[in-house]
Amino acid sequence: MEPQRERAGRHLKKGRKRRRGPNMLVGAAEAMRARWELEESQPEAKKARLSTILFAENCEVTHEQLCELLKYVVLGNSNVSKPSWCQLFHQNQLNNVVVFVLQGMSQLHFYRFYMEFGFLRKAFTHKFRLPPPSSNFLADIIGLQKKQTTGDLSKMVEGSLPSSSSKVSISLQNDPIIQKYGSKKVGLTRCLLTKEEMKTFHFPLQGFPDCENFVPTKCHGSITDNSPLFGLNCEMCLTSKGRELTRISLVAEGGCCVMDELVKPDNKVLDYLTSFSGITKKILNPVTTKLKDVQRQLKALLPPDAVLVGHSLGLDLRALKMIHPYVIDTSLLYVREQGRRFKLKFLAKAILGKDIQCPDRLGHDATEDARTTLELARYFLKYGPRKAGQGPRNTAEVVQQSNTSVLECLDLMGQKLLFLTREAETSELSSSRNCQTIKCLTNKEVLEQARVEIPLFPFSIVQFSFEPFSYKLTEEMNKRMRSKWTEMSTVYAGPFSKNCNLRAVKRLFKSFGPVRSMSLVLETHQPHLCIQYEVLEAAQLAIESLDGILVESTCIKVQRPVTELTLDSSTLVKELEQDSENRGTIYLSGVNQTFKEHLLQQSNIFLGLEAVILPKDLKSGKQKKYCFLKFKTFGSAQRALNILKGKDWKLKGRHALTPRHLHAWLRGIPPESRRTPGVRVIPPPSEQQALQVLKVDHPKIAAWRWGRKIGKLYHSLSPGTLCLILLPGTKSTHGSFSGLGLMGIKDEEESTTPKICS
C-alpha cells in the first residue's frame, strides 16, 4: 500500500466530541431535544437505532415529515437537517432502507385485524398515525412535486460552485479534463482507459512478464454506454514477499455492497499498515478466506460487460492478482496539470460535497471508498467534463433548496431507488429516471421479486395492493372498532348492599384511572355500578384488583359487558401486552403534580428507565392523574412496578396495553359512536357470509397471510436495515380514514437515555 495514496479500510467510528449538559425541561419539547443531543455526544454504538419514543403531535406524522426522515437517512447529518419528529442515532451505520406500502389498508384495518397481524405488532417498536392519503401517497412521502421531477436536478445545480464558507474551495477550470474529453457530455465507453493508458499506468495486462500467474476475470463482453459499473477497493498489508491483499470491497451500481471480504495473506505479515487499512492482527486471526477464494468469487459475480471503477485501480488489481480489460480510474478521470492526481478524500469533498476518511477513525472504510469512486464516475458521466472541471456546489446547498425529493438525494449520492409494484398501479415514481421500477402481475410476484432485488439496492419501496373495502363496510367497521374499545374499557361491578357507602365505592374505582362516566344500575335485585374508563389499562386494573373481593360483607363481581365484541377480550389483552410498543411500558394511576420531580430525584433506583409519558387534559392543559413509564426491558419494568406499588409510593399500576398513538384516536370517539354496553351489533351480511365460509380472500385471512409473508421477508433483510411498514389510509368522496406507520431497525440496539414528555 502506498502511504501517499488515499486508501480505505476497516475502521472504528467514534462519536462526536461535543459535550452538552442535559437541559431536562420536564414535559417540554426542549427536554427531548436536549437529551437527544446529550445521547449523541456519547461514544458511538455499533448499531444504528431510533429514539425511544416518537416526538410528534398526537403521534401523527405527516407525509412531509416522513419525507424529512427519508432524506436524512440518505444524506446524513452533515448534508440535511435532522427530522423533527424522531431521532435516528448513528445514521451512517444503516445498511439499507426498505419501505413496504400496503395500499388499500389503514389504521382501522390494522386494529380490526390486530390478532391476525401478529408479526407486525410484535416486531416494530414504533407506531404512528398517518393523515388520510392524497391522490398520490408515494409522491408525497418521496417528495416528488408535480412541476418538478428528478430530470430538473441538473438545472438546479447548473453553474454552481462551492460556497465561500466551505472548507474546501477549489477551481478546476482550464484543466486537462477539458483538453482530453472536450466540454460536452461523454458516454461510459469514452471514459474507459485504453490499453496504452493501462500500460503507462502499470495496470496488469495479459502477456506481460510480471503478470504470468495473474487470473483473468474473463469479462470479454461487448461494452456499451449502458454496461454496469462496479466500485472496487482493496486493502493491503506488508508481508515478507511484499504487499498482499487483506480486504476487498465491491459495490454495485445501485450503491449496494455485494462483496466485502477479509483475506488471510499467504506469507508472514511484517506490517498491517493499520493507520491506512484499519486491519489489525486480531481482526485477521480468525479469517480463513484466501486470495484464490476471492478470485473465484469475483469471477462469479462480475457479468461479461462489467466495468470496474476505482481510485488508483491498478494497485488494487495487482493486489488481487487479476486482469480486467474494462476500467475507469477516478484518479485519472479527474487528473490535474502535469499529471498530478487528487486524493480520493479531496475529490469526495470537492466534487460530491461529502466527508470520508475522517481523522478520528482507525483507518479507512473500504466499502465507503468503493462507493465514493462509483459516485465520482457517475457524476462525471451525468454532468460532463465541463461540470467536473469546475466543481459542483456542496450537496447540502442542493438539498436545502425547496422541493428536493428523496430521489434527487439518492441521485446526488450516486444511488438508485428500487420500486416494486403491481402493473395496475400508477405512480410518478415509475417515470423517474433514477428509479428502477419492476411491475408485477400479482402481490405474490411482487413478494418473489422483492426477495431477489432488495439486497441489490440501498433503498427499496415495495408496494402491495389490496382491494379497498366499500365505504359502507369501512364505516360500519369503524363504528364497531370504536364500540369494541369502549366496551373493553367498561366494567360492571356488583352486587352492592343497599346500605353500601356508594361514595367510597366510586372513589375506589376512580383510583384505577380516569373515568369517562359512572352510573348506578338499578334494574337488578341489588345495585350495580357501570364504570366507563378513558383508558383500557384502568378497566383491566379494576378487574384484576377488585373481582371477587368483599365489600361490606358482600362478594362483588367485576367484569366487562359480555357481547360479541368482547368475547375475545381476555385473549386480546394478553396480545396487547406482547405488542412491541407496550413491552417494557407500565401504566400508573394516582400520580400527582410532584410525581415527576420525585421520579427524577430517585431515578437511580429505576434502572433502565427510558421515557416518562405524562398525558394532559386537552381543555385545561393540566396533567392527568396517570402516566406511562417506558423501560429498556420487561424485567426493568416489572421491578419498577413492584417498587411503585409498594408502601413508599402507594400507586396503582400494571403493564401497558394501549399503543401511544391510539390514545389520540380513542380520545376522538364521538358520543354517538359509544353505544350502550350490551347492545348487539349485527355484522353486514356480506362479511357475515364471508366469515362463515372462511374464504381465502377475506380481509381477515389476507391480513394473517400477508402479515406472515412480510415477516419472512423482513427476517431475510440484512442487519442495520431501516424498515417502514406504511398503511396509507383510505380516502373517497364519502369520507377518509387515517393511515398507520410502523418503523424499526433490524437488530436495533435500544436507547438507554430516559426522556420525559407530555
Side-chain angles (χ1 to χ4, degrees):
M1 180 186 300
E2 298 293 338
Q4 66 267 25
R5 288 181 61 227
E6 288 300 306
R7 310 302 298 153
R10 185 175 295 265
H11 62 271
L12 300 176
K13 299 182 180 180
K14 299 180 181 178
R16 300 179 179 181
K17 298 297 182 183
R18 75 170 188 254
R19 295 279 178 179
R20 296 185 183 180
N23 181 22
M24 184 63 78
L25 302 177
V26 179
E30 290 80 359
M32 291 191 69
R33 293 193 178 98
R35 301 300 292 180
W36 287 346
E37 290 182 355
L38 176 66
E39 188 166 344
E40 195 167 67
S41 71
Q42 303 304 314
E44 188 166 333
K46 293 181 181 179
K47 297 179 182 179
R49 56 185 171 80
L50 290 156
S51 52
T52 306
I53 58 176
L54 303 181
F55 185 72
E57 186 70 25
N58 292 326
C59 287
E60 181 173 278
V61 176
T62 66
H63 301 153
E64 291 77 14
Q65 288 174 319
L66 261 184
C67 183
E68 187 182 73
L69 170 67
L70 295 177
K71 289 200 293 188
Y72 177 72
V73 166
V74 173
L75 293 172
N77 184 41
S78 60
N79 292 323
V80 68
S81 57
K82 296 179 181 180
S84 59
W85 58 280
C86 71
Q87 182 76 334
L88 174 62
F89 297 101
H90 319 309
Q91 168 271 345
N92 55 1
Q93 298 289 348
L94 283 176
N95 293 323
N96 301 83
V97 180
V98 180
V99 180
F100 294 104
V101 179
L102 308 187
Q103 194 67 37
M105 291 195 176
S106 65
Q107 175 179 256
L108 176 62
H109 293 82
F110 184 80
Y111 285 102
R112 171 64 180 85
F113 305 117
Y114 182 82
M115 303 291 282
E116 285 69 36
F117 281 117
F119 167 77
L120 299 184
R121 57 185 163 83
K122 292 180 181 178
F124 291 91
T125 54
H126 299 82
K127 300 180 182 70
F128 49 88
R129 287 197 308 160
L130 292 170
S134 65
S135 57
N136 197 332
F137 173 75
L138 282 178
D140 287 344
I141 66 168
I142 295 300
L144 288 176
Q145 304 297 321
K146 292 181 179 180
K147 295 183 180 180
Q148 179 180 319
T149 62
T150 52
D152 298 318
L153 183 59
S154 58
K155 296 179 182 178
M156 291 173 59
V157 299
E158 190 65 41
S160 301
L161 294 169
S163 64
S164 58
S165 61
S166 174
K167 291 182 181 179
V168 178
S169 182
I170 62 175
S171 175
L172 298 177
Q173 296 176 354
N174 304 320
D175 60 69
I177 298 177
I178 303 296
Q179 295 174 13
K180 179 177 180 179
Y181 297 102
S183 59
K184 295 182 179 180
K185 291 184 181 181
V186 295
L188 183 152
T189 53
R190 181 72 177 82
C191 297
L192 296 176
L193 291 183
T194 64
K195 189 171 182 179
E196 238 359 83
E197 287 173 324
M198 292 176 74
K199 182 179 178 180
T200 301
F201 295 106
H202 308 293
F203 276 72
L205 292 169
Q206 198 94 37
F208 276 60
D210 60 341
C211 304
E212 291 177 353
N213 298 320
F214 280 39
V215 177
T217 57
K218 294 186 178 179
C219 293
H220 299 294
S222 178
I223 296 295
T224 69
D225 288 342
N226 294 319
S227 293
L229 299 175
F230 291 84
L232 176 69
N233 188 269
C234 294
E235 295 302 328
M236 286 83 83
C237 68
L238 187 63
T239 71
S240 55
K241 296 291 184 179
R243 282 169 168 56
E244 289 189 47
L245 184 71
T246 54
R247 185 183 180 187
I248 174 176
S249 288
L250 187 72
V251 176
E253 192 168 1
C256 188
C257 183
V258 294
M259 183 179 180
D260 188 14
E261 294 284 347
L262 292 170
V263 184
K264 178 83 81 176
D266 292 326
N267 299 287
K268 182 180 179 181
V269 178
L270 303 178
D271 187 352
Y272 288 90
L273 303 174
T274 304
S275 60
F276 295 96
S277 68
I279 303 296
T280 63
K281 181 179 180 180
K282 184 178 180 181
I283 290 172
L284 277 189
N285 270 344
V287 176
T288 58
T289 303
K290 307 293 282 187
L291 178 63
K292 61 181 180 181
D293 301 318
V294 168
Q295 291 172 337
R296 190 183 307 113
Q297 189 176 348
L298 195 60
K299 285 174 66 177
L301 276 172
L302 295 176
D305 61 339
V307 175
L308 290 180
V309 181
H311 199 76
S312 298
L313 186 58
L315 293 177
D316 293 325
L317 289 172
R318 287 191 173 275
L320 282 166
K321 294 188 176 181
M322 296 189 78
I323 296 170
H324 187 78
Y326 313 124
V327 297
I328 295 176
D329 192 322
T330 51
S331 70
L332 299 172
L333 197 63
Y334 292 92
V335 73
R336 301 304 305 130
E337 293 82 5
Q338 290 84 46
R340 290 186 299 112
R341 295 191 244 176
F342 284 128
K343 292 183 177 182
L344 182 60
K345 179 178 180 178
F346 183 84
L347 285 176
K349 183 66 176 179
I351 304 299
L352 304 174
K354 62 185 287 187
D355 295 307
I356 63 171
Q357 303 172 356
C358 298
D360 61 342
R361 298 172 179 170
L362 179 62
H364 306 158
D365 184 338
T367 302
E368 180 185 62
D369 285 13
R371 188 175 287 116
T372 301
T373 61
L374 200 57
E375 292 171 20
L376 286 169
R378 288 191 57 180
Y379 184 92
F380 191 97
L381 293 170
K382 179 176 181 178
Y383 294 111
R386 180 183 292 276
K387 188 69 177 176
Q390 291 176 342
R393 130 174 75 177
N394 188 283
T395 304
E397 295 179 45
V398 177
V399 175
Q400 287 167 6
Q401 295 223 7
S402 61
N403 300 331
T404 305
S405 71
V406 174
L407 277 172
E408 290 168 345
C409 295
L410 285 166
D411 197 38
L412 287 166
M413 301 303 289
Q415 299 174 347
K416 283 186 177 181
L417 181 145
L418 170 67
F419 179 41
L420 285 165
T421 186
R422 287 173 61 175
E423 286 187 355
E425 296 296 323
T426 58
S427 172
E428 291 181 40
L429 278 177
S430 303
S431 58
S432 301
R433 60 186 174 84
N434 196 41
C435 176
Q436 179 69 45
T437 301
I438 300 177
K439 291 197 171 186
C440 307
L441 292 174
T442 63
N443 283 336
K444 184 178 180 181
E445 190 179 336
V446 171
L447 184 73
E448 291 169 352
Q449 286 290 328
R451 292 194 183 103
V452 176
E453 299 292 339
I454 283 178
L456 304 178
F457 288 81
F459 198 114
S460 305
I461 295 178
V462 182
Q463 180 172 264
F464 299 103
S465 301
F466 300 95
E467 191 67 29
F469 292 177
S470 67
Y471 177 77
K472 183 178 179 181
L473 178 57
T474 305
E475 183 59 34
E476 185 63 33
M477 190 166 68
N478 182 44
K479 290 179 180 178
R480 293 169 65 199
M481 270 304 300
R482 291 175 180 270
S483 295
K484 182 183 182 80
W485 215 269
T486 300
E487 291 190 5
M488 286 188 61
S489 301
T490 301
V491 298
Y492 282 94
F496 298 101
S497 65
K498 294 179 180 179
N499 298 322
C500 176
N501 186 347
L502 283 178
R503 181 175 295 181
V505 171
K506 289 181 178 180
R507 193 162 51 244
L508 174 62
F509 278 93
K510 286 181 179 179
S511 68
F512 295 104
V515 172
R516 196 185 300 274
S517 66
M518 187 180 297
S519 58
L520 195 61
V521 180
L522 299 175
E523 283 79 1
T524 52
H525 175 64
Q526 290 180 284
H528 285 69
L529 275 178
C530 175
I531 308 103
Q532 187 182 111
Y533 288 98
E534 288 184 21
V535 293
L536 179 60
E537 289 83 355
Q540 186 64 24
L541 191 56
I543 293 171
E544 293 168 346
S545 304
L546 301 181
D547 186 34
I549 69 165
L550 290 175
V551 176
E552 296 187 5
S553 303
T554 302
C555 181
I556 66 168
K557 180 76 175 174
V558 182
Q559 61 185 341
R560 291 187 174 89
V562 180
T563 71
E564 82 285 352
L565 297 181
T566 61
L567 287 174
D568 64 349
S569 58
S570 296
T571 304
L572 183 56
V573 164
K574 290 179 182 178
E575 292 300 323
L576 283 166
E577 283 185 337
Q578 298 302 313
D579 190 297
S580 60
E581 196 169 340
N582 294 331
R583 290 283 294 175
T585 302
I586 61 174
Y587 162 82
L588 294 173
S589 177
V591 302
N592 52 34
Q593 293 294 327
T594 61
F595 168 76
K596 46 194 176 187
E597 285 79 9
H598 293 158
L599 188 69
L600 286 175
Q601 291 170 4
Q602 302 187 43
S603 59
N604 59 316
I605 66 174
F606 299 113
L607 300 178
L609 177 62
E610 294 184 312
V612 182
I613 302 166
L614 304 167
K616 288 184 178 180
D617 186 274
L618 294 179
K619 293 181 179 179
S620 66
K622 293 182 179 179
Q623 180 189 322
K624 293 196 174 185
K625 295 183 179 180
Y626 70 95
C627 72
F628 294 89
L629 305 185
K630 187 172 181 60
F631 291 83
K632 186 175 182 180
T633 64
F634 181 83
S636 297
Q638 184 61 59
R639 285 191 292 272
L641 189 59
N642 293 337
I643 294 172
L644 291 165
K645 289 168 65 177
K647 61 180 181 179
D648 293 332
W649 292 80
K650 297 179 181 179
L651 299 174
K652 292 182 171 66
R654 74 173 321 279
H655 292 282
L657 298 172
T658 316
R660 186 172 169 235
H661 69 275
L662 262 188
H663 288 288
W665 183 54
L666 296 174
R667 278 200 304 266
I669 296 178
E672 59 269 18
S673 71
R674 300 178 197 138
R675 68 188 177 96
T676 305
V679 177
R680 187 167 185 270
V681 175
I682 302 174
S686 57
E687 185 177 8
Q688 191 176 47
Q689 182 182 4
L691 283 170
Q692 288 172 353
V693 298
L694 287 177
K695 289 181 179 179
V696 74
D697 59 347
H698 185 271
K700 180 187 285 285
I701 306 301
W704 177 78
R705 288 175 63 237
W706 284 98
R708 286 170 59 89
K709 288 178 184 292
I710 293 173
K712 289 180 180 179
L713 185 55
Y714 175 82
H715 286 307
S716 70
L717 300 178
S718 62
T721 296
L722 175 66
C723 186
L724 287 92
I725 310 285
L726 303 180
L727 288 69
T730 58
K731 191 172 185 178
S732 69
T733 55
H734 301 287
S736 58
F737 294 91
S738 298
L740 179 71
L742 301 92
M743 179 171 64
I745 298 174
K746 182 80 179 294
D747 299 335
E748 179 177 0
E749 182 171 282
E750 295 193 18
S751 168
T752 57
T753 304
K755 305 174 183 71
I756 298 185
C757 72
S758 298

